[in-house]
Amino acid sequence: MHDTQIEDWLKLAGGKENIKLVEHDKGTTTLALKDSTRLNMSVLASTEYVVDIRVTSEQCHLVIRDESSLIYNALQGVGEEEGTALQEAGHAKKNRFSILHFVSDVFRPLMPAILGAAVIKIIVAIIALMDTYSSADSSALMDSQTFTIFRIIGDGVFYVLPILVAISTAYRLKSNIYVAASIGGLMFYPEMTMLMSGEQEVHFLGMPLVSQPAFYSTPIWVILTICAAAFLERVVERWSPKFSKGMFAPFLTLLILVPLVLMILGPVGTWIDEYLPEALNSLVANAPVLSVMLLGAVFSLMLIIGLHYWLIAIIINEMVMNGGSMVIAAMLVAIVGQAGAALANALRSKEPTSRSLAFWATGTALLGVVEPALYAVNLRKRSSFYAAMLGGAAGGLYFGLLSVKAFAMVGNPSLVSLPLFIEEGGLNLLHTCIGVVIAFGVSGGLTYWMAGKGQKRGQGSPKPSIE
């Protein structure tokens, strides 16, 4: 949302001082005004904005379609009064806090950088795939420093993603973004990276630390840590003497909170490292159909929590023992399920910004970069996220029944990596395509249907009446 648009909304409302309350509910942002006579209707005449103006007795409300919460995020905190004015008027219910919605709000501002890097990654992946299956000797391109630098540019944004997530979270919580960036970049410190390389056991204050630096830098843990840091900062600043304000809170955050997070996540990661690979290996070996279906459903959750790093050892074991990997197949339908749900959201959305983002996220997910679809689109609505999981489960069930496998390693499987499922003299590739269609269709269909039901239930909420 551009600053000029926010200024236009403030002009329409009669200025910042005329806004009594700002609330967000069911894809709309509602501004409760103190004085309806201060409305500046000339703004609507000179722009294409859509707004529903409601005046009841002494209450005046501006209801703006705002599916992505951009207007709400920009204007929240503007209202001078607290209370239940909107609830009393019967226009909106108090919005319930949702961690999934909050995570999505954190990622929204990061999408331009992530989508730009995603396009570069996709182009690089396509070039690499063409080189692999080309009859000509083009290895000179693949080995060139120019190609390597382009690959690094594409990966760079995802490499520093924990820092970007920390900054975005701190910005939303109005806490110190520089302290947040320091926390997000903790695992990038060279000595810390070397220490946690897996060559030796690492302990901190007697607690074991798992040798998976990426686990500690998973966005969800970064977000929760910054939330705790923001809370600690407010408490400390409230009680700090004047001479130490602005210094004491960062000191305590870095001295106490960061070690505390390591002491909590360290044993958790160590326990996961000890039991998860063994349990999944056993499940894949003894119940392949069930394991692929479950992985197709929960792989998105594993991405959010940071458990997907533990799948690498299982995939390598599969490749050595069986010559192919069903886990990669499960990952494929999980990612395609996210793409299907994102497309349905794009088709249902009535806000241009959200619709455009969802379309782009669909394309990048189908081509292997799932973060935009997962974090910025599907996490905003629980029904969409659940539908994506069900789509992944449906595709995984089909893959399990037909024993679909990938015959080469790949990071995030996608439509670009379909040639890795080719089996000489078999129908493995055909079944792969059918499973992908099932995952995409189930997740997209369920999301579209549930979004339609949600819109019907919300028909009593604002409809644009003045353009």
Side-chain angles (χ1 to χ4, degrees):
M1 178 62 60
H2 299 294
D3 291 341
T4 54
Q5 292 176 296
I6 298 299
E7 290 176 5
D8 287 340
W9 288 118
L10 290 175
K11 288 179 183 177
L12 174 63
K16 183 185 299 185
E17 64 281 356
N18 194 40
I19 298 177
K20 179 166 59 175
L21 191 65
V22 181
E23 284 202 358
H24 185 80
D25 184 65
K26 294 182 180 179
T28 60
T29 290
T30 304
L31 309 181
L33 306 184
K34 298 176 182 177
D35 184 0
S36 61
T37 61
R38 295 178 59 179
L39 281 172
N40 187 351
M41 303 298 291
S42 62
V43 174
L44 295 179
S46 60
T47 63
E48 298 180 353
Y49 299 144
V50 178
V51 60
D52 183 11
I53 301 176
R54 296 180 176 178
V55 181
T56 55
S57 64
E58 297 180 356
Q59 298 288 338
C60 179
H61 301 90
L62 300 183
V63 186
I64 309 164
R65 184 170 296 281
D66 186 23
E67 294 177 19
S68 60
S69 305
L70 293 176
I71 299 172
Y72 173 72
N73 291 338
L75 296 183
Q76 65 176 332
V78 169
E80 297 175 359
E81 299 179 11
E82 296 181 357
T84 57
L86 298 182
Q87 293 164 331
E88 291 172 359
H91 293 304
K93 295 180 181 179
K94 189 95 172 172
N95 195 34
R96 295 178 180 177
F97 176 79
S98 167
I99 183 63
L100 297 182
H101 200 281
F102 181 79
V103 171
S104 180
D105 282 343
V106 167
F107 270 85
R108 283 265 170 156
L110 308 180
M111 282 303 107
I114 292 177
L115 288 172
V119 173
I120 296 176
K121 283 175 64 70
I122 290 167
I123 294 174
V124 168
I126 292 174
I127 293 174
L129 185 69
M130 293 173 60
D131 177 81
T132 302
Y133 290 94
S134 174
S135 57
D137 183 14
S138 57
S139 59
L141 171 63
M142 302 299 296
D143 296 335
S144 69
Q145 294 177 341
T146 299
F147 185 83
T148 301
I149 291 174
F150 272 116
R151 179 173 54 78
I152 292 172
I153 292 172
D155 291 336
V157 172
F158 298 92
Y159 181 75
V160 299
L161 188 60
I163 299 177
L164 299 179
V165 168
I167 292 173
S168 181
T169 306
Y171 181 80
R172 279 189 53 78
L173 297 175
K174 298 180 174 62
S175 63
N176 193 312
I177 62 173
Y178 304 106
V179 174
S182 302
I183 296 173
L186 175 67
M187 291 299 161
F188 299 120
Y189 189 71
E191 194 170 351
M192 180 66 103
T193 304
M194 292 177 60
L195 188 65
M196 303 188 68
S197 62
E199 297 179 359
Q200 58 180 334
E201 291 186 1
V202 182
H203 291 78
F204 178 72
L205 296 177
M207 295 290 184
L209 299 183
V210 65
S211 59
Q212 289 276 6
F215 172 66
Y216 299 97
S217 299
T218 300
I220 188 65
W221 304 132
V222 173
I223 290 172
L224 292 177
T225 302
I226 303 307
C227 288
F231 174 77
L232 179 62
E233 179 182 324
R234 289 188 177 91
V235 172
V236 173
E237 287 294 328
R238 189 178 305 150
W239 297 103
S240 295
K242 290 184 178 181
F243 72 88
S244 65
K245 284 190 180 296
M247 297 295 296
F248 203 50
F251 164 70
L252 286 182
T253 299
L254 297 175
L255 179 67
I256 298 176
L257 185 62
V258 175
L260 183 62
V261 170
L262 290 177
M263 292 172 66
I264 294 173
L265 292 182
V268 171
T270 302
W271 185 87
I272 292 171
D273 193 33
E274 183 176 353
Y275 292 105
L276 181 65
E278 182 180 346
L280 285 180
N281 267 325
S282 176
L283 187 63
V284 171
N286 299 318
V289 177
L290 178 63
S291 64
V292 176
M293 183 181 72
L294 287 177
L295 279 174
V298 304
F299 178 70
S300 298
L301 281 175
M302 296 178 73
L303 276 174
I304 295 172
I305 301 174
L307 300 184
H308 57 296
Y309 297 106
W310 277 271
L311 294 179
I312 297 175
I314 300 172
I315 293 172
I316 293 174
N317 182 65
E318 275 191 300
M319 289 290 183
V320 173
M321 301 298 295
N322 305 321
S325 173
M326 298 181 72
V327 171
I328 293 179
M331 292 166 60
L332 173 62
V333 288
I335 292 173
V336 169
Q338 293 293 332
L343 178 61
N345 276 309
L347 296 176
R348 279 293 190 185
S349 177
K350 295 180 180 179
E351 187 185 29
T353 303
S354 296
R355 185 166 57 246
S356 174
L357 173 59
F359 275 125
W360 273 98
T362 301
T364 58
L366 288 174
L367 296 174
V369 183
V370 71
E371 284 82 359
L374 175 60
Y375 289 111
V377 180
N378 295 330
L379 277 184
R380 297 195 68 77
K381 300 177 181 177
R382 284 179 296 178
S383 59
S384 176
F385 184 68
Y386 296 154
M389 293 176 65
L390 289 173
L397 177 61
Y398 182 83
F399 278 1
L401 292 172
L402 276 298
S403 298
V404 175
K405 300 177 182 177
F407 298 100
M409 289 279 291
V410 64
N412 275 351
S414 64
L415 298 186
V416 175
S417 55
L418 283 180
L420 304 181
F421 291 81
I422 295 176
E423 181 182 27
E424 188 174 352
L427 299 176
N428 192 71
L429 180 60
L430 175 62
H431 292 311
T432 301
C433 295
I434 294 174
V436 164
V437 171
I438 290 174
F440 191 85
V442 170
S443 62
L446 284 175
T447 301
Y448 193 85
W449 174 64
M450 287 189 286
K453 289 185 65 177
Q455 287 179 1
K456 288 181 180 179
R457 285 196 301 267
Q459 279 180 354
S461 67
K463 290 182 182 179
S465 60
I466 298 181
E467 299 187 10

